[in-house]
Amino acid sequence: MSTDSPHLTLTIDSLAFGGEGIARDNGRVVFVPFTAPGDVVEVRITEAKKTFARGEVVQVVTPGPDRAAAPCPYYGPKRCGGCQYQHLTYEAELKAKAGHVAEALTRIGKLTLAAGTIEPIVPSPQPYGYRNRITVHRSENGKGDKIGFHRAESHDIIDIPHCLIAAPEVNDALGALRRQELAPKRGRAVNFTRPTHFSLRHPDLPPSAFHQVNLFLLGPLRDLVAGWVGTGRRLVEGYCGGGFFTEVLAPHFASITAIEFDSRSLRDARRKTLINVAWIEGSVEECLGAALAASGAEGTDALLLDPPREGLAPGVVTAILAAEQPPRRIVYVSCNPATLARDGGKLSARYTLARVQPLDLFPRTAQVESITLWELKA
């Protein structure tokens, strides 16, 4: 059937990064959100191009084996935009995310992966109730009649009294906020970032610094990174945040230079009083070259990078590749397979990708964390 028709009956083959199902109609790829591999769906085309189209589900004709009932009443098309995978079994979500990491590295990064390079994905012990922080929004009229999350692809607010992926303590803070029992000066559970935006955090988190979100995988993530970074004389860490990794790495290196642009995060990091760590406030792009050069003739044993979703700024990659004594190994932690692959393709000029460890830090959403180990070529 041609995509010129208003409705198509399609079979979903796989999932694209971001969560949309992929089907094909006469050679044209059709992206359909909220579908699962194996689904037979009736689809209305909403956008048609020469090489691809997008559509929305009119009805699920035959559900595939990976489809599951979403437990959240706010989940689905044109509803809350926070989750993308609640309609999948958790096993199918893990398989899709592992595939997205591998595909990005080979397709975007143009990297050849030896057998066994990618480890099996580490699942979250619980796919719900894991987030230690969320940001909620109040309707712009200022009356506070709606407090919740943005509708998908919209600035509209969906009123949400309870978030299934948030930890119980965070939902307690959300409930208190909704009852207007919390104000900006009544404790750190609520941090007003903008007049109608509220950051709700687990009480164990520092009030300002960025922090990894999955309560159940904080320990495994830190242990894996520490194991891959290893030990040595000198470590340079870019995007150190509040010192989440620095704290466990400090006993294993004679000296660490830790770079962070955000002054609030660095203030939290300095409270750790790590005597062998030099905290540098500034952008990694501007500071990394000097930090690597300061290692002298002995060089830098390891470089740890944990950038935001945008990945490494161009100057960061340039500083690494141009270093007279480049780091012997790089551990790059990423929450975006596409920017990881982009940066990895550039790093491959001097480094070999030795290991990849995907972790599902963000169950029920399209995001996936990856730890990668890069070794300096001889």
Side-chain angles (χ1 to χ4, degrees):
M1 183 181 292
S2 167
T3 53
D4 293 334
S5 302
H7 287 193
L8 305 173
T9 299
L10 302 172
T11 299
I12 303 300
D13 299 323
S14 59
L15 295 174
F17 179 65
E20 293 179 308
I22 299 175
R24 286 171 173 79
D25 175 62
N26 291 335
R28 180 183 293 187
V29 174
V30 183
F31 297 100
V32 189
F34 300 102
T35 55
D39 280 354
V40 179
V41 288
E42 182 182 348
V43 175
R44 184 178 71 85
I45 298 300
T46 57
E47 178 185 5
K49 303 291 185 181
K50 285 186 177 181
T51 57
F52 73 92
R54 297 188 186 279
E56 60 184 16
V57 174
V58 176
Q59 65 171 330
V60 177
V61 179
T62 305
D66 294 332
R67 177 169 283 276
C72 177
Y74 310 104
Y75 179 78
K78 300 179 182 179
R79 303 300 308 280
C80 174
C83 293
Q84 294 78 40
Y85 284 149
Q86 287 195 28
H87 65 286
L88 296 180
T89 65
Y90 190 44
E91 293 75 13
E93 177 182 346
L94 293 173
K95 180 181 178 181
K97 289 180 174 180
H100 294 153
V101 172
E103 181 190 16
L105 291 170
T106 55
R107 182 177 60 84
I108 299 174
K110 309 298 182 186
L111 298 167
T112 300
L113 304 179
T117 300
I118 301 183
E119 304 283 349
I121 188 169
V122 175
S124 177
Q126 296 183 31
Y128 293 96
Y130 66 87
R131 284 197 68 102
N132 55 27
R133 56 184 174 87
I134 60 174
T135 298
V136 294
H137 314 277
R138 185 175 58 202
S139 54
E140 296 293 338
N141 59 22
K143 296 180 180 179
D145 56 338
K146 289 183 180 180
I147 295 179
F149 299 105
H150 284 127
R151 190 182 304 276
E153 300 180 359
S154 170
H155 293 294
D156 292 343
I157 305 299
I158 295 181
D159 194 50
I160 295 180
H162 183 89
C163 175
L164 286 183
I165 64 173
E169 296 85 350
V170 177
N171 273 308
D172 288 345
L174 174 58
L177 175 66
R178 291 175 61 85
R179 295 190 301 270
Q180 299 184 358
E181 293 182 0
L182 290 179
K185 296 180 181 179
R186 290 193 60 189
R188 66 183 186 182
V190 176
N191 173 30
F192 284 58
T193 56
R194 290 190 295 275
T196 55
H197 303 255
F198 309 91
S199 176
L200 307 178
R201 290 175 168 245
H202 190 283
D204 291 343
L205 291 190
S208 58
F210 167 81
H211 204 281
Q212 301 289 351
V213 301
N214 192 311
L215 282 172
F216 308 115
L217 287 180
L218 294 179
L221 172 65
R222 193 150 61 171
D223 291 345
L224 280 165
V225 168
W228 288 19
V229 170
T231 62
R233 185 186 68 88
R234 179 163 167 76
L235 167 69
V236 175
E237 182 181 0
Y239 314 95
C240 70
F244 175 72
F245 294 121
T246 324
E247 187 172 25
V248 295
L249 292 168
H252 303 292
F253 287 86
S255 69
I256 297 176
T257 298
I259 307 167
E260 174 56 48
F261 180 79
D262 183 69
S263 60
R264 298 171 302 169
S265 296
L266 207 55
R267 182 171 62 247
D268 291 334
R270 287 185 169 123
R271 293 193 182 106
K272 300 182 186 299
T273 61
L274 304 173
I275 60 174
N276 61 332
V277 178
W279 305 102
I280 306 297
E281 183 175 343
S283 74
V284 178
E285 187 172 27
E286 294 176 350
C287 300
L288 182 59
L292 295 177
S295 298
E298 294 186 10
T300 302
D301 294 293
L303 170 64
L304 172 59
L305 299 167
D306 185 13
R309 285 185 56 80
E310 294 78 11
L312 304 178
V316 175
V317 178
T318 299
I320 296 169
L321 298 181
E324 186 174 344
Q325 294 287 343
R328 297 178 182 88
R329 59 189 176 276
I330 299 172
V331 175
Y332 184 158
V333 183
S334 170
C335 63
N336 187 338
T339 55
L340 168 65
R342 177 202 67 197
D343 298 336
K346 298 174 183 177
L347 290 173
S348 66
R350 296 193 73 173
Y351 288 86
T352 299
L353 178 57
R355 297 179 71 183
V356 181
Q357 178 63 75
L359 302 93
D360 191 22
L361 258 62
F362 316 96
R364 314 282 73 180
T365 79
Q367 288 185 270
V368 58
E369 193 88 352
S370 299
I371 308 169
T372 56
L373 174 63
W374 303 80
E375 295 177 343
L376 185 64
K377 294 178 180 178

